[in-house]
PDB file of all heavy atoms in Angstrom:
ATOM      1  N   GLU A 142       6.605  -6.799   8.682  1.00  0.00           N
ATOM      2  CA  GLU A 142       6.491  -7.520   7.380  1.00  0.00           C
ATOM      3  C   GLU A 142       6.984  -6.705   6.199  1.00  0.00           C
ATOM      4  O   GLU A 142       7.253  -5.516   6.382  1.00  0.00           O
ATOM      5  CB  GLU A 142       4.920  -7.668   7.231  1.00  0.00           C
ATOM      6  CG  GLU A 142       4.025  -6.408   7.186  1.00  0.00           C
ATOM      7  CD  GLU A 142       4.115  -5.558   5.982  1.00  0.00           C
ATOM      8  OE1 GLU A 142       4.431  -6.192   4.943  1.00  0.00           O
ATOM      9  OE2 GLU A 142       3.790  -4.452   6.004  1.00  0.00           O
ATOM     10  N   ARG A 143       7.176  -7.372   5.088  1.00  0.00           N
ATOM     11  CA  ARG A 143       7.744  -6.574   3.937  1.00  0.00           C
ATOM     12  C   ARG A 143       7.055  -7.011   2.661  1.00  0.00           C
ATOM     13  O   ARG A 143       7.595  -6.755   1.584  1.00  0.00           O
ATOM     14  CB  ARG A 143       9.218  -7.135   3.817  1.00  0.00           C
ATOM     15  CG  ARG A 143      10.102  -6.596   4.790  1.00  0.00           C
ATOM     16  CD  ARG A 143      11.505  -7.206   4.586  1.00  0.00           C
ATOM     17  NE  ARG A 143      12.476  -6.228   4.974  1.00  0.00           N
ATOM     18  CZ  ARG A 143      13.795  -6.533   5.002  1.00  0.00           C
ATOM     19  NH1 ARG A 143      14.225  -7.779   4.673  1.00  0.00           N
ATOM     20  NH2 ARG A 143      14.692  -5.642   5.326  1.00  0.00           N
ATOM     21  N   VAL A 144       5.849  -7.540   2.715  1.00  0.00           N
ATOM     22  CA  VAL A 144       5.233  -8.085   1.520  1.00  0.00           C
ATOM     23  C   VAL A 144       4.567  -6.995   0.629  1.00  0.00           C
ATOM     24  O   VAL A 144       4.001  -6.029   1.228  1.00  0.00           O
ATOM     25  CB  VAL A 144       4.218  -9.195   1.868  1.00  0.00           C
ATOM     26  CG1 VAL A 144       4.937 -10.395   2.331  1.00  0.00           C
ATOM     27  CG2 VAL A 144       3.226  -8.744   2.983  1.00  0.00           C
ATOM     28  N   ILE A 145       4.492  -7.252  -0.574  1.00  0.00           N
ATOM     29  CA  ILE A 145       3.861  -6.302  -1.572  1.00  0.00           C
ATOM     30  C   ILE A 145       2.461  -6.951  -1.842  1.00  0.00           C
ATOM     31  O   ILE A 145       2.322  -8.037  -2.191  1.00  0.00           O
ATOM     32  CB  ILE A 145       4.697  -6.049  -2.805  1.00  0.00           C
ATOM     33  CG1 ILE A 145       4.247  -4.817  -3.571  1.00  0.00           C
ATOM     34  CG2 ILE A 145       4.712  -7.248  -3.667  1.00  0.00           C
ATOM     35  CD1 ILE A 145       5.125  -3.668  -3.358  1.00  0.00           C
ATOM     36  N   PRO A 146       1.436  -6.065  -1.641  1.00  0.00           N
ATOM     37  CA  PRO A 146       0.021  -6.605  -2.012  1.00  0.00           C
ATOM     38  C   PRO A 146      -0.017  -7.163  -3.493  1.00  0.00           C
ATOM     39  O   PRO A 146       0.682  -6.561  -4.353  1.00  0.00           O
ATOM     40  CB  PRO A 146      -0.864  -5.350  -1.880  1.00  0.00           C
ATOM     41  CG  PRO A 146      -0.092  -4.502  -0.894  1.00  0.00           C
ATOM     42  CD  PRO A 146       1.288  -4.733  -1.096  1.00  0.00           C
ATOM     43  N   LYS A 195      12.268  -0.918   8.940  1.00  0.00           N
ATOM     44  CA  LYS A 195      10.956  -1.014   8.290  1.00  0.00           C
ATOM     45  C   LYS A 195      10.515   0.346   7.765  1.00  0.00           C
ATOM     46  O   LYS A 195      10.077   0.481   6.689  1.00  0.00           O
ATOM     47  CB  LYS A 195       9.970  -1.558   9.224  1.00  0.00           C
ATOM     48  CG  LYS A 195       8.521  -1.325   8.796  1.00  0.00           C
ATOM     49  CD  LYS A 195       8.198  -2.267   7.650  1.00  0.00           C
ATOM     50  CE  LYS A 195       6.886  -1.843   6.871  1.00  0.00           C
ATOM     51  NZ  LYS A 195       6.607  -2.686   5.801  1.00  0.00           N
ATOM     52  N   GLU A 198      12.806   1.536   4.801  1.00  0.00           N
ATOM     53  CA  GLU A 198      12.604   0.841   3.547  1.00  0.00           C
ATOM     54  C   GLU A 198      11.429   1.583   2.697  1.00  0.00           C
ATOM     55  O   GLU A 198      11.683   1.882   1.440  1.00  0.00           O
ATOM     56  CB  GLU A 198      12.072  -0.676   3.675  1.00  0.00           C
ATOM     57  CG  GLU A 198      13.234  -1.544   4.310  1.00  0.00           C
ATOM     58  CD  GLU A 198      12.761  -2.707   5.071  1.00  0.00           C
ATOM     59  OE1 GLU A 198      11.506  -3.111   4.926  1.00  0.00           O
ATOM     60  OE2 GLU A 198      13.563  -3.376   5.741  1.00  0.00           O
ATOM     61  N   ASN A 199      10.352   1.883   3.372  1.00  0.00           N
ATOM     62  CA  ASN A 199       9.347   2.656   2.537  1.00  0.00           C
ATOM     63  C   ASN A 199       9.663   4.102   2.346  1.00  0.00           C
ATOM     64  O   ASN A 199       9.341   4.631   1.381  1.00  0.00           O
ATOM     65  CB  ASN A 199       7.977   2.450   3.409  1.00  0.00           C
ATOM     66  CG  ASN A 199       7.371   1.132   3.205  1.00  0.00           C
ATOM     67  OD1 ASN A 199       7.766   0.373   2.312  1.00  0.00           O
ATOM     68  ND2 ASN A 199       6.506   0.752   4.180  1.00  0.00           N
ATOM     69  N   ARG A 202      11.720   4.417  -0.696  1.00  0.00           N
ATOM     70  CA  ARG A 202      10.872   4.419  -1.937  1.00  0.00           C
ATOM     71  C   ARG A 202      10.189   5.681  -2.167  1.00  0.00           C
ATOM     72  O   ARG A 202      10.188   6.205  -3.343  1.00  0.00           O
ATOM     73  CB  ARG A 202       9.950   3.285  -1.843  1.00  0.00           C
ATOM     74  CG  ARG A 202       9.646   2.562  -3.158  1.00  0.00           C
ATOM     75  CD  ARG A 202       9.057   1.165  -2.911  1.00  0.00           C
ATOM     76  NE  ARG A 202       8.247   0.752  -4.067  1.00  0.00           N
ATOM     77  CZ  ARG A 202       8.668   0.388  -5.182  1.00  0.00           C
ATOM     78  NH1 ARG A 202       9.932   0.351  -5.508  1.00  0.00           N
ATOM     79  NH2 ARG A 202       7.765   0.012  -6.154  1.00  0.00           N
ATOM     80  N   ILE A 206      10.617   8.194  -5.325  1.00  0.00           N
ATOM     81  CA  ILE A 206       9.394   8.548  -6.237  1.00  0.00           C
ATOM     82  C   ILE A 206       9.329  10.062  -6.336  1.00  0.00           C
ATOM     83  O   ILE A 206       9.135  10.668  -7.324  1.00  0.00           O
ATOM     84  CB  ILE A 206       8.249   7.913  -5.668  1.00  0.00           C
ATOM     85  CG1 ILE A 206       8.229   6.314  -5.784  1.00  0.00           C
ATOM     86  CG2 ILE A 206       6.993   8.274  -6.506  1.00  0.00           C
ATOM     87  CD1 ILE A 206       7.121   5.634  -5.048  1.00  0.00           C
ATOM     88  N   HIS A 239      12.841   6.206 -10.103  1.00  0.00           N
ATOM     89  CA  HIS A 239      11.589   5.492 -10.028  1.00  0.00           C
ATOM     90  C   HIS A 239      10.623   6.096 -11.025  1.00  0.00           C
ATOM     91  O   HIS A 239      10.888   6.937 -11.794  1.00  0.00           O
ATOM     92  CB  HIS A 239      11.138   5.605  -8.613  1.00  0.00           C
ATOM     93  CG  HIS A 239      11.889   4.729  -7.653  1.00  0.00           C
ATOM     94  ND1 HIS A 239      13.121   4.392  -7.674  1.00  0.00           N
ATOM     95  CD2 HIS A 239      11.410   3.979  -6.603  1.00  0.00           C
ATOM     96  CE1 HIS A 239      13.522   3.578  -6.744  1.00  0.00           C
ATOM     97  NE2 HIS A 239      12.517   3.265  -6.130  1.00  0.00           N
ATOM     98  N   THR A 240       9.355   5.700 -10.892  1.00  0.00           N
ATOM     99  CA  THR A 240       8.263   6.011 -11.830  1.00  0.00           C
ATOM    100  C   THR A 240       7.600   7.202 -11.298  1.00  0.00           C
ATOM    101  O   THR A 240       6.860   7.194 -10.248  1.00  0.00           O
ATOM    102  CB  THR A 240       7.318   4.887 -12.114  1.00  0.00           C
ATOM    103  OG1 THR A 240       8.090   3.631 -12.321  1.00  0.00           O
ATOM    104  CG2 THR A 240       6.451   5.112 -13.272  1.00  0.00           C
ATOM    105  N   GLY A 244       1.067  10.687  -7.832  1.00  0.00           N
ATOM    106  CA  GLY A 244       1.310  10.707  -6.352  1.00  0.00           C
ATOM    107  C   GLY A 244       1.376   9.348  -5.851  1.00  0.00           C
ATOM    108  O   GLY A 244       1.379   8.375  -6.540  1.00  0.00           O
ATOM    109  N   VAL A 245       1.636   9.284  -4.523  1.00  0.00           N
ATOM    110  CA  VAL A 245       1.843   8.016  -3.841  1.00  0.00           C
ATOM    111  C   VAL A 245       0.697   7.614  -2.874  1.00  0.00           C
ATOM    112  O   VAL A 245       0.367   8.437  -2.133  1.00  0.00           O
ATOM    113  CB  VAL A 245       3.240   8.120  -3.050  1.00  0.00           C
ATOM    114  CG1 VAL A 245       3.372   6.893  -2.190  1.00  0.00           C
ATOM    115  CG2 VAL A 245       4.387   8.230  -4.004  1.00  0.00           C
ATOM    116  N   GLY A 246       0.183   6.424  -3.112  1.00  0.00           N
ATOM    117  CA  GLY A 246      -0.893   6.042  -2.186  1.00  0.00           C
ATOM    118  C   GLY A 246      -0.475   4.744  -1.475  1.00  0.00           C
ATOM    119  O   GLY A 246       0.641   4.377  -1.344  1.00  0.00           O
ATOM    120  N   HIS A 248      -1.231   2.319   2.256  1.00  0.00           N
ATOM    121  CA  HIS A 248      -1.112   2.651   3.586  1.00  0.00           C
ATOM    122  C   HIS A 248       0.387   2.588   4.146  1.00  0.00           C
ATOM    123  O   HIS A 248       0.558   2.660   5.425  1.00  0.00           O
ATOM    124  CB  HIS A 248      -1.952   1.688   4.392  1.00  0.00           C
ATOM    125  CG  HIS A 248      -1.575   0.190   4.054  1.00  0.00           C
ATOM    126  ND1 HIS A 248      -1.576  -0.361   2.775  1.00  0.00           N
ATOM    127  CD2 HIS A 248      -1.067  -0.810   4.892  1.00  0.00           C
ATOM    128  CE1 HIS A 248      -1.040  -1.568   2.843  1.00  0.00           C
ATOM    129  NE2 HIS A 248      -0.800  -1.852   4.034  1.00  0.00           N
ATOM    130  N   CYS A 249       1.282   2.471   3.253  1.00  0.00           N
ATOM    131  CA  CYS A 249       2.659   2.279   3.728  1.00  0.00           C
ATOM    132  C   CYS A 249       3.545   3.567   3.310  1.00  0.00           C
ATOM    133  O   CYS A 249       3.943   4.285   4.189  1.00  0.00           O
ATOM    134  CB  CYS A 249       3.250   1.145   3.101  1.00  0.00           C
ATOM    135  SG  CYS A 249       2.245  -0.383   3.410  1.00  0.00           S
ATOM    136  N   LEU A 250       3.782   3.724   2.085  1.00  0.00           N
ATOM    137  CA  LEU A 250       4.644   4.709   1.680  1.00  0.00           C
ATOM    138  C   LEU A 250       4.190   6.148   1.946  1.00  0.00           C
ATOM    139  O   LEU A 250       5.004   7.024   2.267  1.00  0.00           O
ATOM    140  CB  LEU A 250       4.909   4.632   0.053  1.00  0.00           C
ATOM    141  CG  LEU A 250       6.081   3.834  -0.346  1.00  0.00           C
ATOM    142  CD1 LEU A 250       5.868   2.409   0.024  1.00  0.00           C
ATOM    143  CD2 LEU A 250       6.202   3.876  -1.807  1.00  0.00           C
ATOM    144  N   ASP A 253       4.398   5.921   6.409  1.00  0.00           N
ATOM    145  CA  ASP A 253       5.546   5.511   7.311  1.00  0.00           C
ATOM    146  C   ASP A 253       6.556   6.668   7.444  1.00  0.00           C
ATOM    147  O   ASP A 253       7.070   6.757   8.528  1.00  0.00           O
ATOM    148  CB  ASP A 253       6.189   4.215   6.668  1.00  0.00           C
ATOM    149  CG  ASP A 253       5.405   3.045   6.757  1.00  0.00           C
ATOM    150  OD1 ASP A 253       4.143   3.201   7.297  1.00  0.00           O
ATOM    151  OD2 ASP A 253       5.676   1.939   6.302  1.00  0.00           O
ATOM    152  N   TYR A 305      -5.043   2.594  -5.461  1.00  0.00           N
ATOM    153  CA  TYR A 305      -3.816   3.321  -5.213  1.00  0.00           C
ATOM    154  C   TYR A 305      -2.769   2.835  -6.064  1.00  0.00           C
ATOM    155  O   TYR A 305      -1.743   3.535  -6.235  1.00  0.00           O
ATOM    156  CB  TYR A 305      -3.463   3.268  -3.676  1.00  0.00           C
ATOM    157  CG  TYR A 305      -2.597   2.062  -3.312  1.00  0.00           C
ATOM    158  CD1 TYR A 305      -1.268   1.980  -3.336  1.00  0.00           C
ATOM    159  CD2 TYR A 305      -3.257   0.906  -2.751  1.00  0.00           C
ATOM    160  CE1 TYR A 305      -0.546   0.917  -2.908  1.00  0.00           C
ATOM    161  CE2 TYR A 305      -2.554  -0.183  -2.378  1.00  0.00           C
ATOM    162  CZ  TYR A 305      -1.154  -0.225  -2.465  1.00  0.00           C
ATOM    163  OH  TYR A 305      -0.443  -1.336  -2.042  1.00  0.00           O
ATOM    164  N   LYS A 306      -2.827   1.609  -6.637  1.00  0.00           N
ATOM    165  CA  LYS A 306      -1.906   1.231  -7.645  1.00  0.00           C
ATOM    166  C   LYS A 306      -2.534   0.089  -8.545  1.00  0.00           C
ATOM    167  O   LYS A 306      -3.667  -0.302  -8.244  1.00  0.00           O
ATOM    168  CB  LYS A 306      -0.613   0.672  -7.037  1.00  0.00           C
ATOM    169  CG  LYS A 306      -0.677  -0.510  -6.168  1.00  0.00           C
ATOM    170  CD  LYS A 306       0.732  -0.920  -5.781  1.00  0.00           C
ATOM    171  CE  LYS A 306       0.743  -2.267  -5.083  1.00  0.00           C
ATOM    172  NZ  LYS A 306       1.995  -2.822  -4.761  1.00  0.00           N
ATOM    173  N   PRO A 316      -4.109   8.376  -4.696  1.00  0.00           N
ATOM    174  CA  PRO A 316      -4.041   9.859  -5.337  1.00  0.00           C
ATOM    175  C   PRO A 316      -5.053  10.096  -6.304  1.00  0.00           C
ATOM    176  O   PRO A 316      -5.491  11.316  -6.492  1.00  0.00           O
ATOM    177  CB  PRO A 316      -2.618   9.834  -5.990  1.00  0.00           C
ATOM    178  CG  PRO A 316      -2.210   8.470  -6.067  1.00  0.00           C
ATOM    179  CD  PRO A 316      -2.871   7.614  -5.179  1.00  0.00           C
ATOM    180  N   ARG A 388       0.027   7.605 -16.588  1.00  0.00           N
ATOM    181  CA  ARG A 388       0.956   6.531 -16.274  1.00  0.00           C
ATOM    182  C   ARG A 388       1.890   6.076 -17.298  1.00  0.00           C
ATOM    183  O   ARG A 388       2.591   5.142 -17.124  1.00  0.00           O
ATOM    184  CB  ARG A 388       0.071   5.282 -15.800  1.00  0.00           C
ATOM    185  CG  ARG A 388      -0.891   5.557 -14.781  1.00  0.00           C
ATOM    186  CD  ARG A 388      -0.241   5.502 -13.460  1.00  0.00           C
ATOM    187  NE  ARG A 388      -1.224   5.714 -12.458  1.00  0.00           N
ATOM    188  CZ  ARG A 388      -0.905   5.664 -11.053  1.00  0.00           C
ATOM    189  NH1 ARG A 388       0.313   5.387 -10.728  1.00  0.00           N
ATOM    190  NH2 ARG A 388      -1.854   5.835 -10.151  1.00  0.00           N
TER     191      ARG A 388
HETATM  192  N1  SAJ B   1       4.653   4.387  -6.943  1.00  0.00           N
HETATM  193  C1  SAJ B   1       5.184   5.501  -7.773  1.00  0.00           C
HETATM  194  N2  SAJ B   1       6.317   5.249  -8.473  1.00  0.00           N
HETATM  195  C2  SAJ B   1       7.042   4.087  -8.281  1.00  0.00           C
HETATM  196  C3  SAJ B   1       6.563   3.095  -7.365  1.00  0.00           C
HETATM  197  C4  SAJ B   1       5.406   3.234  -6.819  1.00  0.00           C
HETATM  198  O1  SAJ B   1       4.455   6.485  -8.024  1.00  0.00           O
HETATM  199  O2  SAJ B   1       8.080   3.978  -8.948  1.00  0.00           O
HETATM  200  C5  SAJ B   1       3.418   4.597  -6.162  1.00  0.00           C
HETATM  201  C6  SAJ B   1       2.304   3.469  -6.494  1.00  0.00           C
HETATM  202  O3  SAJ B   1       1.511   3.855  -7.655  1.00  0.00           O
HETATM  203  C7  SAJ B   1       1.549   3.540  -5.178  1.00  0.00           C
HETATM  204  C8  SAJ B   1       2.584   3.794  -4.165  1.00  0.00           C
HETATM  205  O4  SAJ B   1       3.648   4.378  -4.818  1.00  0.00           O
HETATM  206  O5  SAJ B   1       0.607   4.486  -5.244  1.00  0.00           O
HETATM  207  C9  SAJ B   1       3.022   2.558  -3.368  1.00  0.00           C
HETATM  208  O6  SAJ B   1       3.180   1.448  -4.145  1.00  0.00           O
HETATM  209  P1  SAJ B   1       4.384   0.355  -4.040  1.00  0.00           P
HETATM  210  O7  SAJ B   1       4.104  -0.725  -4.876  1.00  0.00           O
HETATM  211  O8  SAJ B   1       5.653   1.017  -3.965  1.00  0.00           O
HETATM  212  O9  SAJ B   1       4.214  -0.152  -2.440  1.00  0.00           O
HETATM  213  P2  SAJ B   1       3.101  -0.693  -1.506  1.00  0.00           P
HETATM  214  O10 SAJ B   1       2.703   0.524  -0.644  1.00  0.00           O
HETATM  215  O11 SAJ B   1       2.053  -1.360  -2.106  1.00  0.00           O
HETATM  216  O12 SAJ B   1       4.077  -1.644  -0.503  1.00  0.00           O
HETATM  217  C10 SAJ B   1       5.134  -1.203   0.148  1.00  0.00           C
HETATM  218  C11 SAJ B   1       6.332  -2.104  -0.163  1.00  0.00           C
HETATM  219  N3  SAJ B   1       7.545  -1.514   0.321  1.00  0.00           N
HETATM  220  C12 SAJ B   1       8.627  -1.410  -0.486  1.00  0.00           C
HETATM  221  O13 SAJ B   1       8.628  -1.778  -1.656  1.00  0.00           O
HETATM  222  C13 SAJ B   1       9.844  -0.698   0.189  1.00  0.00           C
HETATM  223  C14 SAJ B   1       6.124  -3.418   0.593  1.00  0.00           C
HETATM  224  O14 SAJ B   1       7.281  -4.260   0.441  1.00  0.00           O
HETATM  225  C15 SAJ B   1       5.739  -3.162   2.038  1.00  0.00           C
HETATM  226  O15 SAJ B   1       5.654  -4.356   2.757  1.00  0.00           O
HETATM  227  C16 SAJ B   1       4.617  -2.416   2.173  1.00  0.00           C
HETATM  228  O16 SAJ B   1       4.833  -1.091   1.523  1.00  0.00           O
HETATM  229  C17 SAJ B   1       4.245  -2.139   3.610  1.00  0.00           C
HETATM  230  O17 SAJ B   1       3.294  -2.833   4.068  1.00  0.00           O
HETATM  231  O18 SAJ B   1       5.006  -1.436   4.326  1.00  0.00           O
END
Side-chain angles (χ1 to χ4, degrees):
E142 57 78 19
R143 287 176 148 175
V144 291
I145 197 103
K195 168 68 195 181
E198 289 158 17
N199 283 342
R202 209 157 155 80
I206 297 166
H239 285 41
T240 312
V245 168
H248 56 302
C249 305
L250 270 59
D253 298 359
Y305 87 89
K306 66 174 186 178
R388 301 283 182 177

